[in-house]
């Protein structure tokens, strides 16, 4: 009978004030072991100061085929980028 | 090279006219340098080919621990022992990065493991050669990991996102492996005449098996063209092998060892070293299971899997019990 340990996604926060970042996945029987395995698999060279693990089947993801409609609303709003505005040189840095 | 003779469609590259509209759009994305991600549409053959390749690559990392693990308890100093232990632990890590990349394609870890254990999936031919003494451990790090780097660096640009990302992590760690090996063999080459003879003997024995790691000559690689069109193989076997020879010959000379092949000679016209091809019949024989250590390697992996069963089952049962108790308490 198959009795495979569940799959966990691992997120590591590094040294420089960045947010947790997905680094990969691993198998573990529970969260506690997933963190311990995460340490051994993904932080052998001081890559992290904090580990998050979440069971892979709890992650909801957007579908690649929705790419168009999902991001369309922001495409037309070029004024959200600061370069949209002309600031006269004499105003200086802004 | 950690993946040799990976079967592709066996039909050569599909022409644009023969492709379905989906396949054409997929190929266009690859040609444009886009990464393919697990939930994207992909041709079934691309998926199958990648599962074979990444799986074989992962199995090589795992089985590759055996020839080196063999010497951890017999390393000449505590420092060498600690270094070798860290190196072998990295190989386990590399196997795990790769397995999880393969799993994003819809194959389970247990299925991959079982296919290794019953011989349906292969691992690199190099690990079917024995490590007879400490000098071999130096030579393995220097030559085998050196060859691995040459193969894996271009794979960081491979078209499948999870595979490319796994390769980035692997490559970051791999130069430690090659350097510790070179450092160990250098100590032997600079040592007593007996130690130098051992270093020479390791080089002589492992040279041709290391050349075989890159797979058969291009003219006998029927699967390469489609894999290269899909960018899951970035260079031909012969290109990578030549690169390895060009890189390694000056290192052999630096060590003051004799060249392991009398055919090695600088070719002014091509700007590369000429070399003698390995005995390809030996390569095919090792792949078939007849290398010096095939039986031992598979037996060791099977024993580890069988002996570990009670641990896997026990921890799973404990996790389920704890989860049930938590629900009951709520």
């Amino acid at each position: 009978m198959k009795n495979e340990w569940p799959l966990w996604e691992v997120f590591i926060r590094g040294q420089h004030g960045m947010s947790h970042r997905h680094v990969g996945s691993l198998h573990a029987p529970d969260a506690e072991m997933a963190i311990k395995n995460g340490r051994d698999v993904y932080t052998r060279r001081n890559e992290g100061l904090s580990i998050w693990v979440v069971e892979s089947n709890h992650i909801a993801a957007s579908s690649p085929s929705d790419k168009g409609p999902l991001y369309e609303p922001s495409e037309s709003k070029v004024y959200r980028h600061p370069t949209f505005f002309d600031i006269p040189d004499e105003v200086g840095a802004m | 090279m950690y993946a040799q003779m990976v079967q592709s469609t066996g039909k050569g590259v599909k022409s644009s006219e023969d492709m379905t509209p989906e396949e054409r759009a997929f190929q266009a994305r690859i040609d444009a340098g886009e990464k393919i991600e697990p939930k994207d549409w992909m041709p079934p053959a691309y998926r199958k080919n990648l599962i074979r390749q990444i799986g074989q690559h992962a199995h090589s990392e795992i089985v590759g621990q055996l020839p080196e693990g063999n010497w951890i308890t017999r390393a000449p100093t505590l420092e060498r022992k600690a270094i070798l232990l860290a190196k072998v632990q990295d190989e386990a890590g590399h196997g795990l990065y790769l397995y999880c990349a393969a799993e994003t394609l819809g194959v389970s870890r247990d299925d991959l493991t079982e296919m290794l254990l019953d011989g349906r999936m292969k691992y690199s031919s190099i690990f079917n050669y024995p490590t007879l003494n400490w000098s071999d451990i130096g030579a393995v790090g220097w030559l085998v990991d050196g060859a691995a780097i040459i193969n894996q660096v271009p794979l960081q640009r491979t078209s499948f996102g999870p595979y490319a990302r796994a390769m980035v992590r692997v490559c970051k760690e791999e130069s430690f492996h090659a350097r510790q090996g070179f450092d160990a063999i250098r100590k032997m080459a600079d040592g007593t005449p007996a130690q130098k003879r051992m270093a020479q003997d390791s080089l002589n024995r492992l040279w041709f098996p290391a050349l075989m790691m890159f797979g058969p000559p291009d003219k006998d690689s029927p699967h390469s063209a489609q894999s290269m069109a899909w960018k899951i193989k970035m260079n031909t076997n012969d290109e990578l092998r030549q690169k390895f020879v060009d890189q390694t010959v000056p290192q052999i000379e630096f060590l003051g060892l004799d060249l392991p092949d009398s055919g090695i000679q600088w070719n002014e016209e091509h700007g590369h070293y000429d070399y003698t091809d390995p005995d390809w019949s030996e390569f095919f024989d090792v792949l078939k299971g007849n290398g010096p250590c095939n039986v031992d390697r598979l037996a060791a992996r099977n024993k580890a899997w069988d002996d570990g069963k009670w641990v896997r089952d026990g921890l799973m049962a404990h996790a389920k019990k704890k989860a049930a108790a938590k629900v009951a308490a709520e």
Side-chain angles (χ1 to χ4, degrees):
Chain A
M1 192 197 71
K2 287 262 151 111
N3 197 17
E4 192 175 272
W5 289 351
L7 190 66
W8 299 75
E9 300 300 325
V10 183
F11 301 80
I12 305 274
R13 180 160 56 73
Q15 317 243 3
H16 305 291
M18 306 291 280
S19 42
H20 284 77
R21 183 165 163 250
H22 183 244
V23 290
S25 58
L26 50 76
H27 288 269
D30 58 25
E32 193 188 333
M33 284 300 295
I35 288 175
K36 287 191 171 134
N37 291 353
R39 179 204 55 189
D40 290 345
V41 179
Y42 293 107
T43 67
R44 287 192 304 281
R45 288 173 176 77
N46 302 320
E47 288 93 336
L49 296 174
S50 163
I51 302 176
W52 285 353
V53 293
V54 57
E55 243 189 278
S56 306
N57 60 15
H58 290 155
I59 290 194
S62 64
S63 150
S65 56
D66 289 345
K67 217 160 38 186
L70 198 60
Y71 302 112
E72 187 276 328
S74 71
E75 268 169 22
S76 53
K77 298 174 181 60
V78 286
Y79 41 81
R80 281 179 169 158
H81 298 279
T83 46
F84 178 78
F85 303 94
D86 261 341
I87 304 292
D89 286 346
E90 49 270 42
V91 176
M94 181 180 280
Chain B
M1 51 111 253
Y2 270 15
Q4 299 154 322
M5 305 279 296
V6 176
Q7 223 179 53
S8 184
T9 57
K11 291 182 199 135
V13 187
K14 241 189 197 181
S15 71
S16 188
E17 300 87 71
D18 292 340
M19 289 183 190
T20 65
E22 276 166 317
E23 286 172 335
R24 216 169 293 136
F26 177 83
Q27 188 63 50
R29 288 189 62 198
I30 290 187
D31 294 342
E34 280 182 43
K35 292 280 182 249
I36 307 302
E37 295 297 336
K39 291 177 86 180
D40 294 347
W41 184 87
M42 60 187 84
Y46 174 87
R47 184 186 300 275
K48 208 166 143 191
N49 201 154
L50 262 181
I51 290 174
R52 282 207 192 102
Q53 179 174 336
I54 304 174
Q56 200 185 108
H57 197 156
H59 296 328
S60 299
E61 302 284 355
I62 297 300
V63 177
Q65 294 177 97
L66 296 171
E68 293 184 294
N70 179 29
W71 280 88
I72 290 173
T73 55
R74 291 175 286 165
T77 66
L78 189 56
E79 186 185 54
R80 294 279 179 202
K81 179 177 180 170
I83 290 169
L84 184 59
L85 195 57
K87 198 251 183 203
V88 172
Q89 193 188 11
D90 272 356
E91 303 299 357
H94 295 180
L96 295 178
Y97 308 154
L98 284 157
Y99 280 131
C100 79
E103 286 177 270
T104 65
L105 291 160
V107 62
S108 85
R109 176 75 58 91
D110 281 4
D111 285 343
L112 286 167
T113 304
E114 281 163 12
M115 284 190 274
L116 166 69
L117 297 180
D118 66 19
R120 272 177 292 162
M121 286 183 88
K122 301 284 180 209
Y123 53 89
S124 176
S125 58
I126 188 72
F127 302 117
N128 290 313
Y129 290 86
T131 45
L132 302 177
N133 54 46
W134 177 254
S135 175
D136 283 4
I137 295 302
V140 163
W142 171 38
L143 300 172
V144 175
D145 290 82
I149 291 171
I150 287 176
N151 175 65
Q152 291 172 147
V153 165
L155 284 176
Q156 293 178 99
R157 292 177 285 114
T158 190
S159 62
F160 187 56
Y163 192 24
R165 291 191 284 272
M167 283 298 103
V168 169
R169 294 191 69 88
V170 166
C171 287
K172 266 192 199 156
E173 299 175 348
E174 200 81 71
S175 55
F176 150 53
H177 298 180
R179 283 176 179 218
Q180 65 83 34
F182 186 74
D183 190 63
I185 196 104
R186 193 176 151 204
K187 198 92 185 165
M188 300 291 289
D190 289 345
T192 64
Q195 286 173 321
K196 189 169 182 182
R197 274 198 301 278
M198 284 174 75
Q200 184 69 55
D201 175 57
S202 300
L203 171 61
N204 293 351
R205 273 184 291 109
L206 287 164
W207 175 255
F208 286 110
L211 292 188
M212 291 177 199
M213 290 172 67
F214 298 97
D218 293 349
K219 60 179 170 49
D220 301 323
S221 297
H223 307 297
S224 288
Q226 181 61 69
S227 291
M228 288 182 74
W230 279 332
K231 292 192 187 163
I232 55 182
K233 186 173 174 143
M234 311 299 287
N235 304 87
T236 74
N237 297 348
D238 287 335
E239 277 168 21
L240 294 173
R241 190 165 17 249
Q242 183 68 60
K243 201 165 179 216
F244 175 74
V245 172
D246 289 348
Q247 174 185 298
T248 310
V249 169
Q251 295 169 357
I252 297 172
E253 286 165 349
F254 174 87
L255 291 172
L257 297 176
D258 296 331
L259 295 173
D261 160 19
S262 57
I264 294 177
Q265 207 152 33
W266 179 251
N267 184 321
E268 196 66 57
E269 192 188 331
H270 297 123
H272 294 289
Y273 285 96
D274 291 334
Y275 60 92
T276 312
D277 255 339
D279 174 1
W280 291 113
S281 64
E282 176 182 320
F283 169 75
F284 290 112
D285 208 34
V286 172
L287 281 197
K288 264 190 231 136
N290 302 323
C293 298
N294 294 60
V295 174
D296 284 358
R297 300 297 186 233
L298 270 191
R301 288 316 306 156
N302 273 286
K303 183 175 187 305
W305 180 248
D306 295 342
D307 289 354
K309 186 177 180 348
W310 71 270
V311 179
R312 296 192 301 275
D313 289 351
L315 285 175
M316 200 63 231
H318 176 68
K320 279 183 183 151
K321 202 169 113 186
K322 250 189 354 190
K326 199 176 160 211
V327 170
E330 272 164 9

